[in-house]
Amino acid sequence: MKKVIDGKALVYCEGAFNTPNGKTAHGLVRFTERYEIVGVLDEKYAGRDAGDVLDGRPNGIPVFNDIETAISTLGATNQLPSYLVIGLAPDGGRLPLVAKSTIKAALQQGWNVDSGLHDFLTNDPELVALANEKKVTIRDIRKTPDRDKLHFFTGDIEKVECLKLAVLGTDSALGKRTTAWILVHAFRKAGKKAEMIGTGQTGWMQGAKYSMVMDSCINDFVSGEIEHAVVSAYKNENPDVIVIEGQGSLMNPAYPGGFEILAAGRPDYVILQHAPKRLEYDGFPGYKMHSLEEQINAIQVISGKEVIAITVNHEGMEKSEILDVCKAITLETKLPAYDVLEYGAEDLIALLMTKLK
């Protein structure tokens, strides 16, 4: 059994599993070193296997109707968790009111609660009092650290001599983090030392040792925190490659992430995640997606670095379409295109290995 940082966890994802608003739960179901995931809460898929629902690959993680059913079932097999993790990632990061009863039930059970939303559970006196009574912990992963713990950009990034890759995207909720982890694991499988730089709450929840939460960091310190994470990974781990998880996209009207990653992370190359079937930006009908050519050009103009490959999100596609879509992207962009979630990263890693320093 793999070693985990914090223990067993049940993931709350009511009404959002297998949708863009469940991407934190999706990341945890696919991979995490922080927890051992023992179940997911979502009435819609109750009784199903979470891995089968998500990727068509059963992984033994059951989906439960509610927390009471989970407690009964998991208790019978000695699999009760010590954590409830909020697996929702809705626009704006707000906690649905209906979730509070499940959080209270988890605290009553003596479980810790981790949340990556912008609605901080530690600001709720009732939940804090209950946690104190049960001697358990509530962690708000998106709560900004005190300013004296934040870092300002120094230029030390120039001392990082290993290969740096950024996985950016043409939109938000696109699979950038999943692709970044797939690359890290594929590099490690190939015998290279690879480190992941997490830039969101889910990366931290998946156990990325070097992380910052970009969308809740005070603006003056975003670049410094990115640089500090990269430099720390380089100094402490001496890796062959560092992979930086992207956020949002340069063009998304609500989540224009990526500028600071290019400016402060200073990647040697960019891998661009793209969902060919998306016509409008995630969550914003009427905001037409910019073309792949425009997005590639924007990245290269801003950073002076080349986009080396396109990684494809196959949402809305039949499996039989994927390879033809990848070929069409290559014809359009003159860049290799891969679906690493469906077919693995070996071919992309072979390309990237030629860039190692």
Side-chain angles (χ1 to χ4, degrees), residues 168-169 214 226 246-250 255-264 302:
L168 302 187
M214 188 170 157
I226 293 168
Q247 290 294 319
S249 81
L250 295 182
Y255 309 114
F259 290 101
E260 294 96 340
I261 289 170
L262 291 171
I302 288 167

Side-chain angles (χ1 to χ4, degrees), residues 212-230:
M212 54 87 66
V213 183
M214 188 170 157
D215 68 6
S216 63
C217 187
I218 296 164
N219 189 260
D220 265 2
F221 298 98
V222 169
S223 290
E225 285 294 296
I226 293 168
E227 180 191 48
H228 177 72
V230 175

Side-chain angles (χ1 to χ4, degrees), residues 118-130:
H118 285 303
D119 281 334
F120 299 142
L121 304 184
T122 50
N123 289 348
D124 186 314
E126 183 183 10
L127 296 180
V128 170
L130 187 53

Side-chain angles (χ1 to χ4, degrees), residues 11-31 37 39-42 44-45 50-51 53-55 63 85-94 96 116-117 142 172-175 177-178 201-203 205-206 255 278 282-283 313 315:
V11 180
Y12 179 90
C13 199
E14 184 57 51
F17 196 65
N18 204 28
T19 78
N21 286 348
K23 66 178 185 178
T24 294
H26 303 163
L28 295 173
V29 163
R30 286 177 175 139
F31 163 79
I37 305 301
V40 174
L41 297 179
D42 189 343
K44 181 178 180 182
Y45 294 104
V53 170
L54 199 56
D55 297 317
V63 183
V85 179
I86 306 303
L88 303 174
D91 292 332
R94 310 315 299 262
L117 298 179
R142 256 177 168 152
S172 59
L174 199 66
R177 185 196 64 259
T178 297
Q201 72 277 10
T202 309
M205 287 177 170
Q206 289 179 296
Y255 309 114
R278 285 198 194 180
D282 175 49
N313 177 330
E315 67 179 25

Side-chain angles (χ1 to χ4, degrees), residues 14-325:
E14 184 57 51
F17 196 65
N18 204 28
T19 78
N21 286 348
K23 66 178 185 178
T24 294
H26 303 163
L28 295 173
V29 163
R30 286 177 175 139
F31 163 79
T32 175
E33 293 177 343
R34 183 166 297 281
Y35 315 102
E36 178 189 346
I37 305 301
V38 295
V40 174
L41 297 179
D42 189 343
E43 182 181 16
K44 181 178 180 182
Y45 294 104
R48 299 274 306 276
D49 180 288
D52 187 41
V53 170
L54 199 56
D55 297 317
R57 301 187 189 113
N59 61 6
I61 298 175
V63 183
F64 296 107
N65 186 67
D66 51 40
I67 191 170
E68 291 77 19
T69 306
I71 291 168
S72 173
T73 305
L74 295 171
T77 56
N78 199 31
Q79 288 291 303
L80 281 174
S82 54
Y83 282 86
L84 177 75
V85 179
I86 306 303
L88 303 174
D91 292 332
R94 310 315 299 262
L95 180 74
L97 287 176
V98 69
K100 187 172 177 179
S101 62
T102 299
I103 294 168
K104 287 171 64 176
L107 293 170
Q108 287 282 7
Q109 286 290 313
W111 301 353
N112 304 288
V113 177
D114 285 350
S115 172
L117 298 179
H118 285 303
D119 281 334
F120 299 142
L121 304 184
T122 50
N123 289 348
D124 186 314
E126 183 183 10
L127 296 180
V128 170
L130 187 53
N132 289 338
E133 177 190 333
K134 297 294 181 178
K135 296 182 171 56
V136 294
T137 302
I138 298 172
R139 292 189 290 195
D140 285 309
I141 314 308
R142 256 177 168 152
K143 210 162 198 176
T144 306
D146 292 337
R147 283 169 171 78
D148 61 358
K149 295 178 182 176
L150 295 172
H151 301 84
F152 196 74
F153 186 81
T154 65
D156 283 350
I157 193 75
E158 305 303 338
K159 299 173 185 176
V160 176
E161 296 179 347
C162 69
L163 177 66
K164 300 191 299 298
L165 302 170
V167 180
L168 302 187
T170 56
D171 197 8
S172 59
L174 199 66
K176 297 179 288 290
R177 185 196 64 259
T178 297
T179 291
W181 276 120
I182 288 172
L183 292 178
V184 166
H185 295 151
F187 271 117
R188 290 174 180 172
K189 185 178 178 182
K192 298 300 178 182
K193 291 185 70 176
E195 286 298 325
M196 161 84 160
I197 304 300
T199 55
Q201 72 277 10
T202 309
W204 181 92
M205 287 177 170
Q206 289 179 296
K209 187 174 179 182
Y210 300 94
S211 297
M212 54 87 66
V213 183
M214 188 170 157
D215 68 6
S216 63
C217 187
I218 296 164
N219 189 260
D220 265 2
F221 298 98
V222 169
S223 290
E225 285 294 296
I226 293 168
E227 180 191 48
H228 177 72
V230 175
V231 170
S232 297
Y234 179 66
K235 286 182 176 178
N236 297 339
E237 310 298 336
N238 191 29
D240 298 298
V241 57
I242 290 173
V243 182
I244 308 170
E245 171 202 3
Q247 290 294 319
S249 81
L250 295 182
M251 307 292 199
N252 185 296
Y255 309 114
F259 290 101
E260 294 96 340
I261 289 170
L262 291 171
R266 307 189 76 75
D268 299 296
Y269 299 95
V270 174
I271 295 150
L272 186 61
Q273 181 93 357
H274 178 57
K277 295 290 187 178
R278 285 198 194 180
L279 302 178
E280 300 174 317
Y281 284 104
D282 175 49
F284 298 94
Y287 285 82
K288 184 181 176 183
M289 290 268 291
H290 291 77
S291 71
L292 196 49
E293 181 184 3
E294 288 174 298
Q295 302 239 18
I296 292 168
N297 185 57
I299 289 168
Q300 295 185 162
V301 167
I302 288 167
S303 66
K305 303 297 184 180
E306 66 178 288
V307 175
I308 196 171
I310 307 298
T311 46
V312 172
N313 177 330
H314 57 245
E315 67 179 25
M317 293 186 210
E318 299 295 330
K319 186 172 180 178
S320 59
E321 295 179 76
I322 295 172
L323 293 179
D324 286 339
V325 168

